[in-house]
Amino acid sequence: MEGITFHRLGQSFEESGGGGPATVLLSKQGNLEIMSHKIGSEFVVWLMPASDPAAMEFFFVYEGGVELALDDGVVALGPGESFTVSGLAREIPVKMLGDTRILYVTNCPAFESVAQFEESLLALLVRINEKDHYTYKHSGSVLKYALCLYDAMESKMETVSRNDMAVAALFHDVGKCFIPVEILQKPEALEPAETRYILRHPLDSGRMLRAEFGEAVAETAMNHHERLDGSGYPRGLTSEDIGLPARIIAVADAFDAMTTFRGYNRVKTFEEAAEELCGLEEIFDGAVAETLRQLVNNGTIKKEEKEETEPDEQTR
Ligand SMILES: [Fe+2]
Ligand SMILES: [Fe+2]
């Protein structure tokens, strides 16, 4: 009958909707949208504070499970459980426990942007993870540190929005998908021909992000291995040509490399790594490194409790 849609037992929500591969719009009326999200195992999505104070989001887990890392501990939800988000003060990571399906209801129209964004980003992330699991984990950590630094230094940010910063940080190493896996994970020193692959990954990251996210994001990702004294790559830029967002990612990137076991290195504590970066003013931005040290000292940036310690592949 017109005016009513049923979702019968055994029939997936997706069969009655239409849209991208991961997100399906089931119903829409005015500002109200009801979607179904299908999200892969171990994938982390972020709940973001909404700019509209009247915004409300409702999440109902109907397959798999989710784990929310809140300030006062981790909350896990399974099939049949749900949560509502409204007036969130800061972003919260939500990890999928197995392949997960979520019914998502919001009064802030989001489907168009979510579906488009997801399709391209998911494809990129899947490519990174298949190739090099270290880079996948590293990308999430760099995102976390870069956003903490961004928030602390927001008054100095001119051209790059928080969203742009997040995209550039998460995908700064996406160009590594063109590096053969044997080179990416080779423990010994690389041959010159192999090094050339490494040296071009920031250019590839920039190229891959430019069309979808614009020049500011591309430039930020492309310059994450540039150093203030000109000793970096791929272009050997010097301080005046390296923007603050790229300097932030450079510090976040180095900090994660220093504090993560990569098969051969001595893992530094967060305090040691931040201290060391503060002493490298010729190559890393002093104000960014100092902000990182403060964020470590005041506990804003701290080691995850369940940090994995088994050897990882090498990263460059
Ligand atoms: Fe890199
Ligand atoms: Fe990196």
Side-chain angles (χ1 to χ4, degrees):
M1 191 184 138
E2 213 176 276
I4 185 159
T5 307
F6 294 103
H7 309 284
R8 304 301 295 252
L9 203 64
Q11 179 196 19
S12 71
F13 282 124
E14 286 83 347
E15 286 171 36
S16 48
T23 301
V24 174
L25 183 64
L26 302 171
S27 299
K28 179 174 171 67
Q29 191 67 256
N31 277 347
L32 188 74
E33 287 185 347
I34 304 177
M35 290 166 247
S36 164
H37 281 317
K38 185 170 68 184
I39 311 173
S41 181
E42 279 197 41
F43 204 87
V44 175
V45 297
W46 291 77
L47 300 175
M48 301 299 254
S51 46
D52 178 358
M56 199 196 81
E57 296 168 293
F58 172 76
F59 299 81
F60 176 82
V61 180
Y62 64 96
E63 216 176 284
V66 296
E67 201 175 71
L68 290 78
L70 307 180
D71 290 338
D72 43 1
V74 172
V75 174
L77 297 174
E81 297 184 301
S82 59
F83 60 97
T84 303
V85 177
S86 184
L88 200 62
R90 64 160 189 87
E91 67 278 3
I92 291 177
V94 182
K95 187 172 150 193
M96 302 305 126
L97 306 172
D99 290 337
T100 298
R101 287 165 192 263
I102 293 173
L103 188 68
Y104 171 50
V105 182
T106 177
N107 61 352
C108 276
F111 176 69
E112 282 300 328
S113 59
V114 169
Q116 278 175 13
F117 194 68
E118 250 175 17
E119 248 175 277
S120 47
L121 288 202
L122 279 177
L124 288 179
L125 263 188
V126 166
R127 277 169 77 178
I128 302 183
N129 192 31
E130 278 170 1
K131 188 114 172 188
D132 181 18
H133 193 63
Y134 172 82
T135 302
Y136 180 71
K137 281 195 292 180
H138 164 74
S139 302
S141 302
V142 170
L143 166 69
K144 191 168 68 181
Y145 304 145
L147 284 182
C148 287
L149 288 164
Y150 181 97
D151 290 343
M153 305 186 82
E154 199 170 356
S155 60
K156 300 197 182 74
M157 306 297 296
E158 283 159 15
T159 48
V160 170
S161 69
R162 195 171 192 281
N163 253 352
D164 283 353
M165 185 77 213
V167 171
L170 184 59
F171 295 106
H172 72 281
D173 274 339
V174 72
K176 282 189 175 174
C177 66
F178 295 112
I179 305 177
V181 75
E182 315 79 68
I183 297 181
L184 215 47
Q185 296 176 4
K186 186 173 171 181
E188 307 89 45
L190 296 180
E191 303 293 327
E194 294 171 330
T195 306
R196 276 201 288 278
Y197 274 102
I198 302 291
L199 295 184
R200 62 165 299 162
H201 83 268
L203 290 173
D204 287 325
S205 297
R207 190 169 51 79
M208 291 165 81
L209 294 172
R210 185 170 287 111
E212 190 82 26
F213 302 105
E215 195 53 44
V217 171
E219 189 74 12
T220 300
M222 202 156 72
N223 293 345
H224 76 272
H225 283 293
E226 298 291 357
R227 299 294 178 248
L228 302 185
D229 63 355
S231 63
Y233 64 91
R235 294 184 285 176
L237 300 181
T238 46
S239 52
E240 60 273 20
D241 295 315
I242 307 170
L244 183 56
R247 295 170 183 223
I248 285 181
I249 298 187
V251 167
D253 188 49
F255 180 71
D256 185 56
M258 293 158 92
T259 56
T260 307
F261 186 55
R262 286 170 290 137
Y264 59 91
N265 59 315
R266 184 178 84 77
V267 178
K268 299 193 165 96
T269 66
F270 277 27
E271 289 75 14
E272 282 172 342
E275 187 69 37
E276 190 175 325
L277 287 166
C278 283
L280 297 171
E281 282 210 9
E282 289 117 66
I283 55 176
F284 293 108
D285 185 291
V288 176
E290 181 51 40
T291 306
L292 176 74
R293 175 156 65 179
Q294 286 165 15
L295 293 172
V296 168
N297 287 344
N298 71 19
T300 306
I301 291 181
K302 56 178 186 290
K303 201 163 178 72
E304 300 280 331
E305 271 170 26
K306 255 184 9 199
E307 198 82 352
E308 291 175 43
T309 50
E310 75 266 25
D312 262 315
E313 304 87 10
Q314 179 164 357
T315 191
R316 291 180 165 92

